Amino acid sequence: MNSINSINHLSIILDGNKRYAKNKNLPIMNAYSTGIQNVLNISKELIKKKIKYFSVFTLSTENLKRASVNTLFESIFFQFSNFLDNIINEKTIKIKVIGERNDLPPKLIKLITEAENKTHNHNKLTLILAFNYGFKNEVISAFKKGYKEVENKKNLEDVNINNFFYLGNIPDPDILIRTGGFKRLSNYLMYNLCYTELFFTNTLWPEFHKGELENIIKEFQNTKRNYGL
């Protein structure tokens, strides 16, 4: 009989907000609001299960190329401000944001920094928000860090490669869920997903609920995990 797999880190690609808005005939901001609230809902479920890390893919570097990006940023700023207030008041969730910040509006950078600083001592769950994130950009960043590190230490045996990537010493995801029906990884955390169990659902992110989460976790816990072929 297989032993039950433990879960340290669960990750979700949050896909389907726009389709949810279209299906419900809602403004896109309402869909983002529902989606962001759902991040908090699922976070609370993971806290109950004593899962320590929850990473979510919220905004890719490719999103910045869209014509609607300014509207998107305004929506994100408004919604994230409210989201942050809830998290600060509950005092359980620590925020960590990964991705490139240079291209973001200054007020959004300030908000992200404030989120990390004000939740630094919260310890029930670390919520990792991949924001303006793309793996190709992460690789470039890792090369730059690695070059400096090797130049300083002169000895490859003293270099911890994990530290060059955004997650650092955070455990790799045990589970990755992608909502919205597409079966692709979309340039997300490729260094850290080598042995992650992948789950795809047609459910749009704002409609993803704890019952479906429970089913995925049960399936994962009874999966035989092979680290190799």
Side-chain angles (χ1 to χ4, degrees):
M1 183 176 177
N2 294 337
S3 59
I4 294 176
N5 298 316
S6 61
I7 306 169
N8 292 312
H9 184 173
L10 184 142
S11 190
I12 303 182
I13 297 175
L14 313 179
D15 196 12
N17 286 303
K18 285 189 175 181
R19 281 171 285 161
Y20 173 81
K22 184 177 180 180
N23 293 347
K24 299 290 184 180
N25 197 26
L26 294 170
I28 187 62
M29 284 185 67
N30 290 35
Y32 284 136
S33 178
T34 303
I36 289 174
Q37 178 58 43
N38 205 25
V39 172
L40 190 55
N41 295 343
I42 297 299
S43 294
K44 290 177 180 178
E45 293 302 315
L46 298 185
I47 289 172
K48 290 178 187 176
K49 297 177 181 302
K50 301 188 186 308
I51 294 171
K52 298 299 291 183
Y53 299 97
F54 178 31
S55 55
V56 295
F57 197 8
T58 58
L59 181 73
S60 73
T61 51
E62 284 79 10
N63 290 134
L64 294 185
K65 299 173 185 176
R66 295 178 181 174
S68 60
V69 68
N70 289 331
T71 303
L72 180 64
F73 280 146
E74 285 301 317
S75 175
I76 289 170
F77 183 82
F78 176 74
Q79 304 297 343
F80 191 53
S81 295
N82 294 333
F83 176 72
L84 174 59
D85 287 341
N86 288 333
I87 285 183
I88 289 171
N89 291 335
E90 294 198 10
K91 302 183 185 306
T92 56
I93 299 171
K94 177 180 179 178
I95 295 287
K96 177 179 173 65
V97 179
I98 62 173
E100 298 300 314
R101 302 188 187 186
N102 296 338
D103 297 333
L104 301 177
K107 69 176 184 178
L108 196 50
I109 295 173
K110 182 179 178 182
L111 185 64
I112 288 170
T113 303
E114 180 184 351
E116 292 177 324
N117 290 340
K118 288 190 174 181
T119 64
H120 180 71
N121 293 320
H122 299 178
N123 58 17
K124 294 287 186 182
L125 175 77
T126 298
L127 175 60
I128 302 141
L129 303 171
F131 193 84
N132 190 22
Y133 172 88
F135 180 65
K136 292 177 183 177
N137 293 66
E138 183 177 12
V139 168
I140 292 169
S141 171
F143 272 129
K144 289 177 180 177
K145 292 176 186 174
Y147 178 80
K148 290 180 181 177
E149 188 78 5
V150 172
E151 194 175 38
N152 289 336
K153 292 190 174 177
K154 309 294 184 186
N155 187 349
L156 287 174
E157 292 180 0
D158 295 333
V159 172
N160 183 348
I161 294 176
N162 287 348
N163 291 335
F164 302 154
F165 292 86
Y166 291 142
L167 289 185
N169 290 321
I170 291 173
D172 292 342
D174 300 291
I175 295 172
L176 172 71
I177 302 167
R178 178 169 184 145
T179 62
F182 294 114
K183 296 181 179 180
R184 55 178 179 250
L185 298 180
S186 296
N187 201 21
Y188 177 58
L189 291 183
M190 303 299 289
Y191 176 74
N192 304 95
L193 296 180
C194 295
Y195 296 109
T196 301
E197 300 296 328
L198 309 179
F199 296 86
F200 301 96
T201 173
N202 291 325
T203 305
L204 304 179
W205 169 245
E207 297 176 316
F208 185 81
H209 55 84
K210 68 176 184 179
E212 190 164 4
L213 175 69
E214 289 277 0
N215 290 338
I216 289 172
I217 287 176
K218 284 178 183 176
E219 184 176 345
F220 167 81
Q221 287 176 329
N222 292 295
T223 297
K224 183 180 179 182
R225 303 190 74 188
N226 291 324
Y227 297 91
L229 291 176

